[in-house]
Amino acid sequence: MLIGIDVGGTTTDAVLIDGTRIVKISYVPTNHGDLLKCLLNAFDLLMKGVDPKKVERVVLSTTLITNMIAEGKAQPVGLVLIPGPGTNPKDYQLGQEPIVLDGAIDFRGHEIQKLNEDQARMAGRRLSNLGLKKVAVIGKFGQRNHSQEMKAGEIISQIMPDAQIELGHRVTGQLNFPRRAATTLLTAATKDSYREFTEQVARALKERMISAPVYILKADGGTLPLEKSVEMPVETIFSGPAASIMGVLALTPVEQTSVIVDIGGTTTDLALILSGEPLLSSKGARVENLLTHIRAFAVKSVAIGGDSVVNVAQDCVDVGPRRDGAAFCMGGPGPTPTDAMRVLGMTDIGDLALAKKAMGSVASKLRVTLEKAAQMVVDAVVAKIVSEVEQMFLEWEQEPAYRVWEIVENEKLQAQSVVGVGGGAPPLVPLIAKKLGAKSIVPEYAPVANAIGAAVARPTLTLNLRVDTEQGSYSVAEEGLTGKVTGRNMNLEQAEALARKLLAERAERLGIGEQAKEAEVTYSEIFNMVRGWSTVGRLLDVRLEVPAGILEGWRS
Amino acid sequence: MAGIKAESKGRAGKTGLIFFPAFDWAISPTHPEREERLLYTRDQIFEEGLMDLPQIEELKPRLATLKDIARTHFCVPDVESQITEAHLVAAGSTMTLADALENGEIKNGFSLARPPGHHSMMVVHGNRGFCNVNNMAIMVEYFRTKYGHKKIAIVDTDVHHGDGTQDIFWHDPDVLYISFHQDGRTLYPGSGFTNEMGGPQALGRTLNIPLPPGTTDEGIHYVLDNFILPVLKDFKPELVLNSAGQDNHFTDPLANMRFSAQGYASLNEKLAPDICVLEGGYAIETALPYVNTGIIQAMAGLDYSHVKEPDFAPGRFTQSDEMNRSIEDTVDELLDIWKNRDLLMESAQSELGDFYRRRKRIFYDTDMINESQEESVRLCKDCHGYMTIASTAQRGYGILNSAYCVSIPRGACKSCKEDAHEEFEEHKDDRKFNYVCLQDKDRDSYQIYDVRTRNRKSY
Ligand SMILES: [Zn+2]
Ligand SMILES: [Zn+2]
């Protein structure tokens, strides 16, 4: 049996799954002060009369880290940059003043300016005087040559022996220095709290004698063993929304292109599944005001929901983006879409008489009947969501591309189904689907799609390898790993073989060794380096990926 | 530079950036115009995170249509055989930016795309100087056809003379083409002297500034401040476009100038072009990553003072007094031409009859083609006059192709239209030519007629 738990901001949802059957669902309020107690309660409700030995796997998703950052409760971090030539470090929007060290590495990994070690010592003393316990050190192109990051980290750690020091190249090796800096900052800021969370989970499981392997769901919809995840807390940012998307994937037909519409009171969240694969945000997630390298599903939040304000301007209605309170029929201050749906009999939430009163005011301003006014409000909501969905597909088509064939082929997709989750979805999703010419699906278990998604998600794995044969070296973006290669004529096949070997080792370290075999090459390119008129070496880039997916047992 | 443009648009908004490195296209594996050319530029601008900045919007290029190309070029035997898909993307990039600019989505734009185009002339038999079709000229014709712009200025800052762009707009008084470049006596394509000033109806609308090898930031900025910017202010174009070649850089392997990334960035800031189009630049590791970063930052109004090539130090390059004087002399000579352009035009026209004719020989270095042309333009009082070009291309000892090309300008008068059509019809039976082409810019319609097979192709 499988357990999926989504520790949300307000409630903790859990499901117990046996094969393809949902055995039990439980909801408990999330107790931020005592997470252990909250988890124990959830287990007790879920496992009544079930032998804990029968549990094969436990997966958690959580918004705790996201909330912690949003509430400004993450720990302060000293930011040290080695930016080299290029952008003025003040133009990087990192939310805090960095300490800048002289030194520079170029795109090939050549040292073009020596690290100023005196400045590194001064930085250490300054951070120490500020009483900081966490430091993030990030160098431009540090992933191509991490010697300066290492050296600066070493010097600072001699001055602040108790501080936790995070180096950029260890967090991610993707190109984009400011995003790498932001991701490293967040890693340093959340590691302790995240470790506490994993300890609470481990204790809860132990107390309820569940000895099955336990995983955390990452923002890219993949699972990772809990004990391995403490090194990369930021991967769990947005694991809550990822769980819902994985849940929809599990609850809808395979290989489809669908839009997930999660309609709440204030906002509607949209996500896409393209030919069976949830769409990832192209460069990485935005966390509050920081752009990061965190692989996460693309979720678009639109400020419209059941409680949005309805405004009347001349002969038309305008809905949102503000919310002034609950729907009028639920005791709120003014007319909302929920009131309109109540009048039209699309929902039975709230007081009908109040709903009629709310729509009555709209109707008289528009000089139309009550029903007509309510219909106009519903139409406006549907039109707004439909236009945002179309915009999302358009943005996907307009993603920049750097190869001729990608421009020429310019794939177009449209939604085959619209899947509704969230309280406001059931009455509206059929109307949205109709406008998009797609099938409407509101899964039976939509309210616990998040916990189901966590329960049945598989591990994901990525490895980006770059080989520079002129320099005789390779680097792996994911862990800052580097090594040597011999010979200038490595071809793509050989590079892919090296990538597979490194991926297998990485998977083993992460405790998901069996997954490595499934990896596919999703990107590979080779450049001959020509100097003068002769080839002096090659640059090869290979990306291997195991994308997000659902456990096999669930479908059959 | 406020005040250059006729209508100061004072546009707000983002800088549109199209980055299209064509990682799957090369002229040949070791050619300078190969896959690797923008690889390190990619690394640098991606690592800088420039595309994430609120001042910058990355756009995806669309494909140019064959008609977009036929509007500018007579491609022989047809458009399809002179281009690859990569050319359609590079040309399409410029038009994507043109649309975004006109729709108010961006305040300015940079097409950082390859392959380049400024050596492609009006008639195209093959590849010249790494170029097949002229991305800049295709954008200009698009701006005029779709958006009705009339006066446009092109400033070509590539180290090579943009002989293709010069050729295309030679007779056009509404397009001001200014190019500074390394002296043609010392560098490909060997043209671009001060006496190349445009056709008799457009004298002074082509302005060439040959510069001595070794010219530094100082010399180029002297030309910019004392000649280019004042001339632009006089001309009052609706749009300023920049053919942004980067081979004036002190590390470029194909030329001998001493321009720096800072020099390029501040040039861009002063010129404030509406759209920049990448041309050449082959110091792919030592220059392009830094020059492009600087140009993007300057366009977006960001601080570019931290951009510096690893081996550059301020004051590293200086110009001799002699070099300074020679640059000042060239500028003085050109200022005279610009001031007296109307008189020059009058006297040139007074010596001519109804038609102006010239012969040209054009060499295609990449494809080893020799072309000879006989060009004729009617000096019409009522319009810009129709033009014909009789073109024969030779490769080795054999004739490759020959074409008789007829061009009708926008706003052509009735008599020019009728005569041009007559020329086109007459030559359909002329066995001296393989193809007869009609470029009717007034109706935006283009035809190529195969004399032997009697097949007609329209765009
Ligand atoms: Zn050039
Ligand atoms: Zn005429």
Side-chain angles (χ1 to χ4, degrees):
Chain A
M1 289 200 272
L2 311 173
I3 291 177
I5 306 175
D6 180 55
V7 184
T10 29
T11 64
T12 293
D13 307 344
V15 292
L16 182 68
I17 292 173
D18 187 2
T20 59
R21 205 163 51 86
I22 292 166
V23 179
K24 182 88 199 226
I25 295 173
S26 79
Y27 304 94
V28 296
T30 300
N31 182 341
H32 294 268
D34 194 347
L35 195 63
L36 182 66
K37 202 169 149 204
C38 158
L39 288 169
L40 290 173
N41 284 342
F43 284 134
D44 290 343
L45 275 172
L46 199 65
M47 303 283 293
K48 211 170 280 168
V50 179
D51 178 0
K53 287 197 185 63
K54 284 194 172 156
V55 177
E56 301 151 75
R57 192 174 100 127
V58 180
V59 185
L60 289 110
S61 59
T62 181
T63 51
L64 288 182
I65 297 297
T66 325
N67 295 345
M68 206 175 73
I69 295 167
E71 291 159 15
K73 289 182 185 155
Q75 283 169 284
V77 180
L79 178 61
V80 178
L81 300 182
I82 315 168
T87 305
N88 183 338
K90 288 188 173 55
D91 285 333
Y92 295 132
Q93 301 177 340
L94 294 169
Q96 67 184 81
E97 190 74 20
I99 297 179
V100 174
L101 308 184
D102 288 342
I105 303 289
D106 80 358
F107 36 83
R108 290 281 305 282
H110 298 129
E111 181 171 75
I112 51 177
Q113 188 191 357
K114 283 221 163 338
L115 177 72
N116 186 327
E117 299 187 6
D118 287 340
Q119 288 178 342
R121 272 184 283 275
M122 267 154 46
R125 283 195 286 272
R126 217 171 108 195
L127 296 172
S128 173
N129 288 341
L130 288 170
L132 289 168
K133 291 276 174 279
K134 323 234 158 233
V135 181
V137 181
I138 307 97
K140 196 177 284 173
F141 291 115
Q143 73 277 45
R144 300 270 163 92
N145 174 350
H146 52 238
S147 61
Q148 296 190 345
E149 270 182 14
M150 300 276 276
K151 187 75 205 168
E154 217 172 88
I155 292 170
I156 293 168
S157 122
Q158 279 163 8
I159 295 164
M160 324 169 56
D162 299 330
Q164 169 203 333
I165 296 175
E166 295 291 335
L167 304 180
H169 77 276
R170 298 279 305 161
V171 173
T172 165
Q174 304 282 350
L175 284 172
N176 198 318
F177 172 62
R179 279 180 187 258
R180 211 163 52 247
T183 315
T184 310
L185 260 181
L186 290 173
T187 300
T190 57
K191 227 177 199 177
D192 289 351
S193 317
Y194 182 71
R195 184 178 288 115
E196 249 168 64
F197 165 74
T198 64
E199 284 164 4
Q200 307 264 22
V201 172
R203 268 183 66 192
L205 289 164
K206 199 169 170 210
E207 284 193 22
R208 291 299 175 262
M209 287 179 305
I210 300 168
S211 54
V214 52
Y215 298 83
I216 185 86
L217 193 78
K218 295 186 294 168
D220 71 352
T223 56
L224 189 69
L226 192 67
E227 80 272 12
K228 303 285 181 188
S229 66
V230 292
E231 286 305 311
M232 38 188 114
V234 295
E235 297 276 356
T236 68
I237 290 175
F238 303 128
S239 99
S244 297
I245 292 168
M246 293 309 289
V248 169
L249 197 61
L251 296 170
T252 52
V254 288
E255 294 295 314
Q256 282 228 342
T257 292
S258 349
V259 189
I260 304 171
V261 184
D262 183 344
I263 305 175
T266 322
T267 58
T268 294
D269 287 345
L270 303 173
L272 301 183
I273 297 177
L274 304 176
S275 310
E277 280 190 25
L279 177 67
L280 289 159
S281 71
S282 60
K283 292 190 213 161
R286 175 188 284 274
V287 181
E288 295 298 299
N289 290 321
L290 292 176
L291 294 170
T292 73
H293 273 305
I294 302 163
R295 273 167 66 89
F297 292 142
V299 177
K300 183 177 193 179
S301 238
V302 184
I304 196 163
D307 302 339
S308 293
V309 168
V310 172
N311 290 309
V312 180
Q314 286 164 346
D315 337 334
C316 54
V317 289
D318 192 28
V319 184
R322 247 179 40 246
R323 175 188 188 267
D324 285 347
F328 196 75
C329 64
M330 305 278 286
T336 67
T338 302
D339 297 306
M341 288 192 279
R342 184 72 181 94
V343 166
L344 294 172
M346 291 165 67
T347 172
D348 44 24
I349 293 171
D351 184 276
L352 180 60
L354 285 177
K356 281 188 171 167
K357 194 175 164 202
M359 278 306 113
S361 73
V362 176
S364 66
K365 276 186 211 156
L366 290 166
R367 284 186 230 102
V368 295
T369 65
L370 192 65
E371 285 72 23
K372 172 81 179 151
Q375 193 60 50
M376 283 171 77
V377 171
V378 170
D379 287 349
V381 173
V382 169
K384 172 86 180 148
I385 295 173
V386 165
S387 116
E388 295 285 352
V389 169
E390 285 168 345
Q391 189 60 34
M392 224 180 155
F393 274 98
L394 204 66
E395 277 164 21
W396 172 75
E397 281 169 29
Q398 291 302 321
E399 280 287 312
Y402 307 112
R403 276 153 210 84
V404 176
W405 70 265
E406 292 170 315
I407 307 280
V408 173
E409 301 213 332
N410 202 8
E411 201 181 345
K412 278 198 186 343
L413 281 175
Q414 53 181 21
Q416 292 165 284
S417 51
V418 178
V419 187
V421 292
L428 289 170
V429 163
L431 303 175
I432 296 164
K434 196 174 167 206
K435 279 243 170 160
L436 288 167
K439 214 174 111 196
S440 158
I441 302 177
V442 180
E444 186 190 347
Y445 289 107
V448 280
N450 49 359
I452 295 172
V456 300
R458 294 188 324 170
T460 52
L461 251 182
T462 316
L463 183 125
N464 285 282
L465 172 72
R466 153 161 285 222
V467 182
D468 183 331
T469 73
E470 192 198 25
Q471 310 215 64
S473 64
Y474 71 77
S475 60
V476 174
E478 280 65 31
E479 287 171 280
L481 204 66
T482 53
K484 299 260 168 258
V485 294
T486 49
R488 288 194 168 171
N489 298 318
M490 180 182 267
N491 58 29
L492 269 181
E493 224 167 79
Q494 291 164 318
E496 284 172 19
L498 173 61
R500 280 197 188 279
K501 179 179 148 275
L502 293 165
L503 183 78
E505 291 167 9
R506 172 167 158 78
E508 210 54 58
R509 278 195 296 280
L510 294 174
I512 44 176
E514 72 287 355
Q515 224 66 40
K517 297 185 293 291
E518 293 171 36
E520 283 174 24
V521 176
T522 53
Y523 173 83
S524 79
E525 62 185 11
I526 182 166
F527 293 94
N528 285 318
M529 277 182 268
V530 179
R531 298 297 173 267
W533 292 86
S534 56
T535 306
V536 296
R538 285 175 167 176
L539 284 172
L540 302 101
D541 282 301
V542 176
R543 183 187 304 142
L544 285 173
E545 263 180 298
V546 180
I550 301 297
L551 289 180
E552 270 184 25
W554 170 258
R555 294 280 186 202
S556 53
Chain B
M1 283 309 277
I4 286 181
K5 284 157 215 161
E7 22 161 342
S8 183
K9 296 186 187 80
R11 288 196 187 97
K14 297 190 178 199
T15 291
L17 177 62
I18 291 185
F19 178 63
F20 187 71
F23 282 150
D24 50 357
W25 187 88
I27 289 181
S28 71
T30 58
H31 194 281
E33 201 48 76
R34 65 178 179 275
E35 297 91 338
E36 189 192 2
R37 186 174 164 221
L38 292 176
L39 179 60
Y40 312 106
T41 296
R42 186 260 320 251
D43 285 359
Q44 188 75 36
I45 65 179
F46 281 25
E47 177 72 350
E48 295 291 351
L50 291 177
M51 316 292 202
D52 285 338
L53 294 174
Q55 295 89 344
I56 292 166
E57 173 89 17
E58 187 180 12
L59 302 173
K60 183 181 188 176
R62 67 171 165 88
L63 288 171
T65 63
L66 299 177
K67 185 173 184 166
D68 289 327
I69 293 174
R71 191 179 292 126
T72 300
H73 294 290
F74 291 107
C75 291
V76 188
D78 55 18
V79 177
E80 294 88 323
S81 48
Q82 286 303 342
I83 48 122
T84 65
E85 282 158 345
H87 296 105
L88 293 180
V89 183
S93 297
T94 64
M95 287 181 286
T96 302
L97 290 174
D99 287 333
L101 186 78
E102 292 295 332
N103 300 337
E105 290 160 35
I106 57 171
K107 68 166 180 178
N108 56 20
F110 184 12
S111 170
L112 186 39
R114 51 180 290 269
H118 76 148
H119 295 302
S120 293
M121 301 194 165
M122 188 175 273
V123 181
V124 176
H125 288 280
N127 185 298
R128 291 187 77 243
F130 316 168
C131 307
N132 281 68
V133 293
N134 195 318
N135 305 321
M136 172 60 83
I138 290 168
M139 173 171 66
V140 168
E141 291 298 345
Y142 181 72
F143 262 127
R144 303 171 110 189
T145 304
K146 176 134 190 222
Y147 299 107
H149 282 293
K150 203 170 168 219
K151 284 173 88 176
I152 293 176
I154 303 168
V155 180
D156 189 326
T157 53
D158 189 279
V159 79
H160 301 97
H161 175 226
D163 53 352
T165 314
Q166 168 169 305
D167 178 72
I168 292 168
F169 300 110
W170 184 256
H171 293 291
D172 192 332
D174 297 325
V175 174
L176 175 66
Y177 176 71
I178 308 180
S179 173
F180 69 74
H181 41 263
Q182 186 175 326
D183 192 323
R185 288 168 297 191
T186 63
L187 192 69
Y188 179 88
S191 55
F193 299 100
T194 48
N195 64 349
E196 297 163 41
M197 297 181 282
Q201 289 168 303
L203 271 182
R205 266 56 161 199
T206 293
L207 295 163
N208 283 299
I209 310 129
L211 294 169
T215 301
T216 70
D217 288 5
E218 190 192 344
I220 287 175
H221 278 274
Y222 180 87
V223 169
L224 184 68
D225 298 338
N226 295 286
F227 181 64
I228 297 176
L229 294 178
V231 166
L232 286 174
K233 209 170 171 184
D234 262 3
F235 184 69
K236 297 186 178 59
E238 292 154 38
L239 293 165
V240 174
L241 309 173
N242 177 209
S243 267
Q246 305 175 355
D247 33 16
N248 280 294
H249 194 263
F250 64 90
T251 61
D252 196 88
L254 304 185
N256 317 90
M257 304 291 262
R258 287 173 170 179
F259 209 33
S260 72
Q262 280 297 317
Y264 265 115
S266 72
L267 176 144
N268 182 282
E269 187 177 44
K270 290 184 194 172
L271 189 63
D274 292 290
I275 293 180
C276 284
V277 177
L278 177 70
E279 301 289 355
Y282 301 94
I284 61 177
E285 282 197 81
T286 49
L288 268 56
Y290 307 100
V291 172
N292 281 309
T293 300
I295 291 180
I296 294 167
Q297 289 169 334
M299 291 193 89
L302 292 160
D303 176 11
Y304 56 79
S305 66
H306 291 240
V307 174
K308 186 181 92 64
E309 308 85 329
D311 46 357
F312 182 77
R316 181 178 160 190
F317 301 114
T318 49
Q319 292 179 171
S320 65
D321 292 343
E322 192 194 338
M323 194 185 279
N324 288 340
R325 262 197 309 282
S326 116
I327 294 170
E328 286 162 23
D329 288 349
T330 307
V331 165
D332 287 345
E333 183 191 346
L334 285 160
L335 281 171
D336 264 355
I337 293 174
W338 177 248
K339 270 186 209 127
N340 298 315
R341 60 193 181 279
D342 292 337
L343 283 173
L344 285 168
M345 209 143 65
E346 249 173 61
S347 78
Q349 288 181 18
S350 70
E351 288 166 26
L352 294 163
D354 290 344
F355 286 88
Y356 165 75
R357 292 193 173 82
R358 64 169 180 165
R359 284 171 194 276
K360 278 188 295 183
R361 300 194 66 88
I362 297 155
F363 178 56
Y364 293 66
D365 60 317
T366 319
D367 282 345
M368 292 305 204
I369 295 167
N370 276 297
E371 182 192 0
S372 59
Q373 284 188 5
E374 228 183 286
E375 184 187 286
S376 153
V377 187
R378 175 190 268 181
L379 302 177
C380 178
K381 281 184 285 294
D382 304 316
C383 72
H384 290 167
Y386 77 93
M387 176 165 78
T388 62
I389 302 171
S391 158
T392 308
Q394 242 178 317
R395 180 145 55 189
Y397 295 98
I399 299 282
L400 178 67
N401 262 318
S402 58
Y404 191 79
C405 311
V406 182
S407 177
I408 301 173
R410 263 176 222 89
C413 70
K414 191 159 166 275
S415 137
C416 279
K417 277 185 199 165
E418 283 170 4
D419 290 5
H421 278 284
E422 206 169 293
E423 288 262 20
F424 177 61
E425 293 303 326
E426 253 172 38
H427 284 85
K428 280 182 173 175
D429 294 318
D430 187 343
R431 290 285 168 159
K432 283 208 297 289
F433 298 100
N434 305 132
Y435 301 94
V436 188
C437 315
L438 180 69
Q439 181 185 63
D440 188 342
K441 291 191 192 176
D442 200 54
R443 292 172 50 196
D444 200 23
S445 119
Y446 310 92
Q447 293 177 43
I448 297 174
Y449 180 82
D450 184 327
V451 175
R452 272 166 301 192
T453 64
R454 306 206 158 267
N455 282 334
R456 200 184 67 158
K457 215 170 231 180
S458 304
Y459 299 104

